[in-house]
Amino acid sequence: MARFDFVQMDVFSREPGMGNALAVVLRGHTLSDRAMQSLARWMRLPETTFTGPAGDTGKAPASCYAIRMFAPDKEVLFAGHPSVGTAAALLDADLLTPDADGLVWQQGLAGLLPLRVEHLQDPNQRVISLRNPPANEIEGAAVTHRDQLTAATTGLALGAMAPVLAEGGRRWWLVQAASEAVLRQWSPAWDGIGELAVASGSMGICAFAFADDADSGYQVVTRALVGHPQPFEDAASGAANAILASILFRHAAEHLPATGYIVSQGREIGYDAQLYLSPGADGAIWSGGQTRTAIRGSIDWDAAAP
């Protein structure tokens, strides 16, 4: 039985319990693949990550780390909130130091990826953002899936932007609601969303609206509705919001601050996450947010557990 330092992070949250939960096993790279998977299954959180030293990356060792990500049922190639939360956990444990450009580098199954570390006006408030590639629109998808899209948006008054199927690592339908109030009050048509997700090979619908109140502290509201295999509403989706931001900066930039915007997500299911989205000079999108450490301690686990 081996003992490892362990933290549970609250990601994309300013207040306790309002963001996405993440388990991080520090220096957990010595566990076997089977032991990592069995621990993630037992945790029953969206993801559990295991950190270790990075291989030969060409970056300074102090700014680079290796990561493995596991959902309860399988290893995950890449996900946004585990990337942000793991970097925060390593920074807090003094196991990671940003380079001269304020970047740290994550080495995982998806390759070597940069994360940006910034401090807000309050030095105790830190935002960690992940670089996401530009999203691509799937031309003709709204016509091909017209009937399924209509069923999936039953009861939702739509906004001015036509629904778009976009891909940026994963596929999401981007659907604008007529207003923030309309979006927050909508009861999702889950059967239709599930059928649409399967038919289009997508995660489901990322419904959005621009904020009704200019003084609300955020500019965009989103609801990420996963349709398959298990329908659920995500409390805070970095990937869905990054795809949406890529399309919005392309087609609706007049509604957004040029330097970036803040998203409110999760209130409809009892959370209150905030995500920060900003454009990069190369067309990439940086998505991230604040984090909180909810639990610190150690975990005992069989290094070769079945």
Side-chain angles (χ1 to χ4, degrees):
M1 195 72 67
R3 177 166 293 180
F4 300 89
D5 290 333
F6 164 82
V7 294
Q8 188 165 320
M9 305 297 294
D10 192 8
V11 185
F12 301 142
S13 172
R14 298 176 304 165
E15 303 294 335
M18 292 291 104
N20 254 357
L22 171 72
V24 183
V25 182
L26 300 171
R27 302 186 182 94
H29 63 288
T30 57
L31 286 164
S32 69
D33 290 4
R34 294 174 68 186
M36 291 182 189
Q37 186 64 78
S38 66
L39 178 54
R41 182 173 60 250
W42 182 74
M43 287 286 183
R44 296 186 182 181
L45 294 176
E47 278 91 14
T48 299
T49 65
F50 303 83
T51 72
D56 184 12
T57 64
K59 305 295 180 183
S63 67
C64 196
Y65 62 98
I67 187 172
R68 301 280 298 275
M69 300 182 188
F70 287 81
D73 61 337
K74 63 182 178 180
E75 185 166 9
V76 177
L77 175 68
F78 167 77
H81 98 269
S83 300
V84 170
T86 300
L90 288 168
L91 288 165
D92 291 345
D94 294 325
L95 296 174
L96 186 64
T97 303
D99 65 17
D101 297 318
L103 300 177
V104 295
W105 297 85
Q106 172 180 284
Q107 185 183 50
L109 295 182
L112 188 65
L113 301 174
L115 292 96
R116 186 174 62 197
V117 182
E118 301 173 289
H119 289 275
L120 303 179
Q121 291 182 342
D122 181 343
N124 294 319
Q125 292 184 327
R126 178 187 62 200
V127 172
I128 300 175
S129 301
L130 177 73
R131 183 186 182 279
N132 301 268
N136 298 312
E137 299 173 46
I138 310 299
E139 294 186 10
V143 174
T144 302
H145 300 285
R146 180 188 291 113
D147 293 344
Q148 291 140 338
L149 187 58
T150 299
T153 56
T154 297
L156 180 66
L158 301 183
M161 191 177 101
V164 173
L165 179 61
E167 185 169 30
R170 293 178 174 180
R171 285 186 175 188
W172 282 91
W173 283 93
L174 311 177
V175 177
Q176 183 182 6
S179 69
E180 175 182 348
V182 164
L183 178 60
R184 291 198 184 279
Q185 294 166 10
W186 181 41
S187 295
W190 285 111
D191 288 345
I193 293 170
E195 292 177 8
L196 177 65
V198 172
S200 58
S202 68
M203 296 294 295
I205 289 179
C206 177
F208 74 95
F210 297 108
D212 289 344
D213 182 357
D215 297 323
S216 61
Y218 53 85
Q219 291 74 47
V220 175
V221 179
T222 63
R223 296 181 67 180
L225 308 167
V226 178
H228 179 77
Q230 181 65 40
F232 73 96
E233 182 163 356
D234 198 339
S237 176
N241 277 289
I243 292 172
L244 173 63
S246 185
I247 301 304
L248 288 183
F249 280 121
R250 198 175 303 164
H251 295 301
E254 68 275 12
H255 297 289
L256 302 168
T259 56
Y261 64 90
I262 297 175
V263 167
S264 169
Q265 186 178 352
R267 290 185 183 178
E268 295 71 27
I269 54 172
Y271 295 85
D272 191 12
Q274 286 201 345
L275 296 89
Y276 292 67
L277 285 300
S278 60
D282 57 356
I285 296 294
W286 292 83
S287 64
Q290 300 183 53
T291 62
R292 298 176 61 90
T293 301
I295 300 171
R296 302 177 194 270
S298 60
I299 190 164
D300 295 320
W301 205 254
D302 187 342

